[in-house]
Structure formats: structure tokens, C-alpha cells
Amino acid sequence: MTLTARPKTNRPRILETARKQVLEDGVGLTEDQLVQILQLPDDALPAALQLAHEVRLKHCGEDVEVEGIISIKTGGCPEDCHFCSQSGVFDSPVRGIWLDIPELVKAAKETAASGATEFCIVAAVRGPDVKLMNQIKFAIDRINEEVDINIACSLGMLTQRQVAQLKDWGVHRYNHNLETARSYFPQVVTTHTYEERLETCAMVKDAAMDLCCGALIGMGESLEQRAELAAQLAALEPHEVPLNFLNPRPGTPLENQGLMDGKDALRAIAAFRLAMPRTVLRYAGGRELTLGDLGTREGLLGGINAVIVGNYLTTLGRPATADLNLLVELNMPIKELQKTL
């Protein structure tokens, strides 16, 4: 799908409206207003990013949360998410691998040593079975014995019982992404529905666990659908939104999708912050290619207040030291560990 062309004229009025509505009153922009932010011309982009940064500082504070992630089960997933190289449906080079518990503990230690306060255990599954849940419980116990770090999980769609188990085991945050707008979801996933994802998100929130619910943009959605996604996430009120940019993977249906334009990515960062003034907005996958070093810096000064450091599940990220050094350079304090387990 071709992205909607941006108008050539500046639209300062929407930024004036956002300053009053979001910065001063703390009320996120509506879907129609977000379209206007995503349509801003290049010469208005610095002002939009500056406003988003001011919103972040006022409503979230100056701290930046750092997280590391690792997969306990990689590849072989039965779902057909068109962007994902871990799907067993496509001819992808990623094959099924299980990580043992000592490797998980080692990864948690390395994550904590990098300055991260959060360690997320991920599995490429539709949802966890009894075997996987038992492994997760054992892994959590071993990590807690040796590492002082908050533990999160991302294990696909859950049952009510599984939500309760994770809560009892001390998992304080669960990740389950919407990925894209409701109207575009059938173009990206056919093996489960948007509503099924929402059901897991609702159960997590009802259990008083932090909900981490992210977006993947640059998959061919229109600007209107990008705004739709931001508004739908805002309505869900997650604690955290990881913002991913498509990194086209070989063997997937989106392997030939071009990289998202860096300025469009920055417009999206500003829009998501102005949609959700109090939400943790985390840099996630694909930013290295889409934004590069300069864009990464601009995003941190444009509404981002959390970062995944190191590598992702199947792709390389920036070295953790590069991100940590950048945070120091920008005088952005890393959030202190607040143990919840």
C-alpha cells in the first residue's frame, strides 16, 4: 500500500493545539490529530520532536529505562505473522532452537551488567504449553537466585490460568504487541485475530501486571492506519509501548518491503508520544537501519524514554555500550532498579 503523500505546506496549528492539549493538559491527541502530525512537512519536524520531548519530560520524567531481551525458544512458530522470520510457515533461515537455563541465567547477568533494569524472556509460540510454562518457572527461580533484575515475559497468547501463574511467579510485565492497526491486521496475520491479541492484553491488565504492548510500523500501512494504531494503543493504556520499525527479513512475505524513511520514523515517534503522554515509549527493533546513529539521537530527544540494548531476537542491534554512552552524552539518567519480585 502506498503511503499517503504529505502536504507541502507547514501546519503549525496542530503543534499549537498539541502544546495546549498534550503538554499542558496531559490529554493525548485524537486519531485525526495524529494524522496531521504524521503529515507534517520536514521543516516542521524539529518543532514536533521538541514538543514531544517536552511532553515526555513533563509527564514521564527524565529517567530512561534500559532493557535486554532473549529468546528461550527461537523459530518454528506456527503463526504466519508476515514480518517474522521465526514463523515456521515461511521459508526463513531461522530454525527452532531452545535455550537452556544456564544460558538464560548468564544472559540475565550480562543484561544487568550493561545497566539494564529489565530482562525479558521471549518464546516464539502461539501460546505456552505446560512444558514451556514449567521451564519459565524454573528459569525465573534460577535468575532470581543470582541476579537482581526485573523479569518480564513474552510468550504469545495466554489463558487466564497462565496469566495468574506468571503473576504469582513474580513476572511484573508481560509483552503482547498489537503490531499494527485493526484495519490492517488481516494483511499481516491470518492465523489469529486482532481480538485474540486484545483478550490477552485485557487479562494481563486485569491481573495488575504491567502491560507492554508494541507497534511495528513501516509494513506498508497508510499514515491513517499508523495514526489508527497509535490511537488504539492509547485506548488500551499499556504501561509501555515498544516501537519497532520493519527490518525486512529473508523468506518472509515482507522481505521486499523497503525500509521506512527515517523522517517518517521520527514523525511517528513524535506522534506516538503525543498520543500517549504518560506511556513508556521504548526504542525497539529496526531503529539501527531506519534511523542510524543520528536518527537514534533525534528520537531520544523526541519522546523516547526507554531502550532495548544489545541484540534482538533474530537480528543484531546496536552494542549496549553505544546506547549507554549516548545516554550519558545526552545527560539522560538511567532508571534505577526497583525490584518488584
Side-chain angles (χ1 to χ4, degrees):
M1 182 179 295
T2 303
L3 293 181
T4 304
R6 293 190 301 276
K8 295 181 179 179
T9 56
N10 200 345
R11 289 191 176 186
R13 184 171 297 178
I14 183 58
L15 294 181
E16 294 172 6
T17 300
R19 177 167 293 277
K20 173 66 170 66
Q21 179 177 325
V22 187
L23 181 63
E24 296 179 14
D25 299 339
V27 178
L29 295 185
T30 66
E31 187 174 327
D32 289 342
Q33 290 173 322
L34 292 169
V35 172
Q36 295 179 58
I37 295 295
L38 293 169
Q39 291 176 335
L40 284 171
D42 290 351
D43 62 0
L45 180 55
L49 291 170
Q50 175 61 33
L51 175 58
H53 185 57
E54 292 176 37
V55 168
R56 187 273 265 197
L57 291 175
K58 179 175 181 178
H59 295 291
C60 296
E62 62 179 0
D63 288 353
V64 176
E65 183 182 286
V66 177
E67 178 186 39
I69 61 175
I70 193 166
S71 179
I72 189 172
K73 177 191 177 290
T74 302
C77 181
E79 304 304 289
D80 73 345
C81 304
H82 290 13
F83 53 84
C84 186
S85 59
Q86 299 201 65
S87 172
V89 178
F90 310 128
D91 186 19
S92 168
V94 175
R95 294 293 176 261
I97 299 174
W98 285 85
L99 204 63
D100 63 28
I101 302 303
E103 289 175 305
L104 275 177
V105 174
K106 178 183 177 183
K109 289 181 177 179
E110 292 173 348
T111 298
S114 75
T117 59
E118 185 93 8
F119 183 68
C120 185
I121 303 172
V122 183
V125 291
R126 176 182 174 88
D129 57 15
V130 173
K131 174 185 176 183
L132 178 55
M133 289 295 288
N134 287 338
Q135 288 177 307
I136 294 296
K137 173 65 165 64
F138 189 66
I140 290 171
D141 289 344
R142 299 291 79 76
I143 291 170
N144 285 336
E145 289 173 0
E146 301 194 39
V147 189
D148 189 25
I149 196 166
N150 290 322
I151 298 177
C153 287
S154 180
L155 312 171
M157 291 175 282
L158 301 176
T159 65
Q160 187 66 63
R161 182 172 184 271
Q162 290 168 337
V163 170
Q165 286 177 316
L166 293 174
K167 173 71 173 178
D168 289 344
W169 297 342
V171 174
H172 83 114
R173 184 177 298 171
Y174 192 79
N175 167 256
H176 196 55
N177 295 341
L178 292 186
E179 306 295 7
T180 194
R182 184 193 298 267
S183 66
Y184 197 61
F185 194 87
Q187 306 300 314
V188 178
V189 183
T190 68
T191 49
H192 61 267
T193 66
Y194 186 89
E195 285 68 28
E196 286 178 289
R197 289 193 179 233
L198 284 177
E199 287 173 7
T200 290
C201 292
M203 286 189 291
V204 168
K205 290 192 66 177
D206 288 345
M209 294 168 63
D210 284 353
L211 174 64
C212 172
C213 187
L216 174 55
I217 58 178
M219 293 192 287
E221 73 280 356
S222 67
L223 293 188
E224 289 80 6
Q225 287 168 326
R226 208 167 286 166
E228 178 192 346
L229 172 59
Q232 287 165 349
L233 283 166
L236 188 58
E237 297 183 329
H239 176 81
E240 172 185 334
V241 171
L243 194 52
N244 299 273
F245 308 95
L246 180 68
N247 178 352
R249 307 313 301 153
T252 68
L254 292 178
E255 66 177 335
N256 295 318
Q257 179 73 33
L259 287 176
M260 186 178 182
D261 177 78
K263 290 183 178 178
D264 281 339
L266 290 172
R267 267 180 279 267
I269 290 171
F272 274 67
R273 172 52 68 204
L274 296 176
M276 297 172 280
R278 296 175 181 82
T279 299
V280 175
L281 188 59
R282 186 182 296 278
Y283 258 152
R287 63 186 169 100
E288 299 77 14
L289 294 176
T290 300
L291 292 168
D293 290 343
L294 179 60
T296 293
R297 176 189 297 266
E298 290 179 307
L300 285 168
L301 295 172
I304 295 290
N305 65 327
V307 182
I308 292 177
V309 295
N311 296 329
Y312 303 107
L313 301 177
T314 62
T315 59
L316 297 177
R318 282 160 53 94
T321 52
D323 282 326
L324 296 175
N325 289 339
L326 179 57
L327 293 176
V328 171
E329 181 184 337
L330 296 176
N331 197 29
M332 292 182 171
I334 296 174
K335 183 178 179 180
E336 293 182 6
L337 175 65
Q338 295 180 342
K339 191 69 173 175
T340 62
L341 299 178

